[in-house]
Amino acid sequence: MMNKVYLGIDIGGTAAKFGLVDEDGNILYRDEFSVSFDGYETPILKTVLEKTEYFVASGGLSFKDISGIGVSATGQIDSVNGEVIGSAGHIKNWVGSKIKESFEKRYSIKTVVINDANSAALGEKWIGAGKGYKNIVAITIGTGVGGGIIVNDKILLGRRGLAGEVGHIVIHGDGMECSCGNVGCLEKYASMTALVRKVSALQKKNPSHFPKEFEENINGRKIFDALLGNNPLKEAVESWIDDISLGIISLVHIFNPELVIIGGGVSSRKEFIKSLSEKVHSKLMPRFSQGLEILPAKLGNDAGLTGAIYYLIENE
Ligand SMILES: [Zn+2]
């Protein structure tokens, strides 16, 4: 008998990744399509539905070969109804998209929909850094800060699927305004955007202390490449890591996980994980610190797509 094949779709703000995934989480065939080509005049959902047919056919399958569809999607996702109910960004024609209903009507295949950060956490639990762990806090450091909480092997979804917005816990009560309407959110201090902003301000004040290539533009890779022996830069990075640690410490005290997974490009920097780990452990209550591991994510850009399939299989 042929093994089951699932269709995974990871819908982001610029592109949708498609994958045919087997029962063990292997991606057998993949492709990627722009969803932002005309500034979202064509609704993302319409693009994705059309590309789905093309993708399945180009993968050499027909819909009767697909055992289920798992969708990981950006924004606030109502996992119960499988629809988009909010968006922090500025994506036109996205809120209100009835993803589950549209797929099930069109293809008559069971479809589940989950927020991309929660999905990425599940992907890591299934076949990534979190394999074999039951209680996990996953946090991704990128242009924003996202996350997912796994309690006793299950993703914490809350009433409608919105749980795990770790970027919007408040770490500075009198802090900067956040896109969510609140002030002092973790995301405003712990994202890569926040680090670049911090370093840019320092560089403008004192350009001679920074490498020449910083004049053109600044990004996380350049910052970490230049870190060794550069004191003003080091201070900026350490205070940024302090802010990340504040968020993680709160989360560990609430959820008592055995593992914290750090995602995003910066997680591949050993010195970053080491410093973060030291800061977190130094401020945790001792019993929370014992045996707690802090590890980089393993799946990179595949985490969302893979996690959506794990969520689907869990709900079969
Ligand atoms: Zn916020």
Side-chain angles (χ1 to χ4, degrees):
M1 205 187 96
M2 203 180 127
N3 290 327
K4 283 186 177 177
V5 176
Y6 301 96
L7 171 61
I9 306 173
D10 181 14
I11 307 174
T14 55
K17 298 184 192 76
F18 284 69
L20 295 174
V21 182
D22 71 12
E23 287 164 293
D24 301 318
N26 301 303
I27 301 175
L28 309 168
Y29 176 70
R30 64 167 79 218
D31 208 342
E32 188 173 329
F33 306 95
S34 169
V35 295
S36 56
F37 53 89
D38 61 356
Y40 311 111
E41 284 308 323
T42 310
I44 291 180
L45 181 56
K46 184 168 185 281
T47 305
V48 169
L49 283 165
E50 280 164 11
K51 291 299 178 191
T52 297
E53 271 151 54
Y54 170 80
F55 175 76
V56 170
S58 66
L61 296 183
S62 72
F63 281 92
K64 65 172 172 27
D65 304 318
I66 306 282
S67 297
I69 300 173
V71 180
S72 148
T74 181
Q76 294 177 334
I77 305 301
D78 179 330
S79 300
V80 180
N81 298 312
E83 75 179 80
V84 184
I85 55 172
S87 159
H90 309 282
I91 302 177
K92 250 190 280 176
N93 295 316
W94 180 232
V95 176
S97 298
K98 295 182 187 314
I99 302 174
K100 178 182 169 69
E101 190 185 295
S102 307
F103 270 91
E104 291 186 342
K105 246 188 203 153
R106 192 153 163 162
Y107 304 117
S108 303
I109 296 173
K110 178 180 172 152
T111 303
V112 299
V113 189
I114 180 170
N115 160 270
D116 53 2
N118 285 331
S119 188
L122 282 177
E124 290 291 340
K125 180 193 161 35
W126 189 19
I127 53 166
K131 200 172 171 180
Y133 295 81
K134 287 178 82 74
N135 296 284
I136 302 169
V137 166
I139 176 163
T140 300
I141 311 289
T143 47
V145 172
I149 312 289
I150 291 170
V151 179
N152 279 328
D153 289 327
K154 292 256 182 271
I155 189 80
L156 185 74
L157 291 173
R159 181 165 59 90
R160 300 184 76 179
L162 305 183
E165 283 285 359
V166 301
H168 299 281
I169 58 175
V170 175
I171 62 162
H172 294 296
D174 53 355
M176 285 183 272
E177 267 179 47
C178 179
S179 59
C180 73
N182 209 342
V183 294
C185 291
L186 180 64
E187 176 162 290
K188 289 302 288 182
Y189 297 88
S191 59
M192 189 47 81
T193 315
L195 177 62
V196 168
R197 188 180 54 227
K198 199 179 264 224
V199 171
S200 298
L202 282 175
Q203 192 245 358
K204 278 206 183 83
K205 252 197 266 166
N206 221 333
S208 63
H209 283 115
F210 292 87
K212 262 247 164 301
E213 66 264 26
F214 277 42
E215 281 164 27
E216 196 185 316
N217 72 3
I218 299 177
N219 58 39
R221 187 181 47 76
K222 282 187 188 175
I223 292 170
F224 276 84
D225 283 346
L227 201 53
L228 218 62
N230 187 317
N231 288 329
L233 202 51
K234 207 160 192 163
E235 265 169 49
V237 169
E238 288 301 320
S239 92
W240 176 68
I241 301 175
D242 277 330
D243 280 333
I244 300 172
S245 78
L246 292 181
I248 293 176
I249 288 157
S250 296
L251 292 166
V252 170
H253 282 147
I254 298 170
F255 296 105
N256 184 24
E258 61 259 27
L259 173 66
V260 175
I261 299 176
I262 312 291
V266 70
S267 66
S268 65
R269 302 283 178 159
K270 284 202 177 73
E271 67 272 37
F272 166 73
I273 297 289
K274 184 168 177 281
S275 168
L276 178 62
S277 191
E278 283 167 6
K279 288 177 198 294
V280 169
H281 279 287
S282 74
K283 286 177 245 170
L284 282 173
M285 287 189 258
R287 298 296 181 226
F288 287 83
S289 173
Q290 272 171 2
L292 173 72
E293 289 182 77
I294 299 181
L295 297 174
K298 269 191 187 160
L299 301 183
N301 292 331
D302 289 340
L305 198 152
T306 315
I309 300 306
Y310 182 73
Y311 182 61
L312 174 74
I313 293 172
E314 285 278 279
N315 287 284
E316 255 176 350

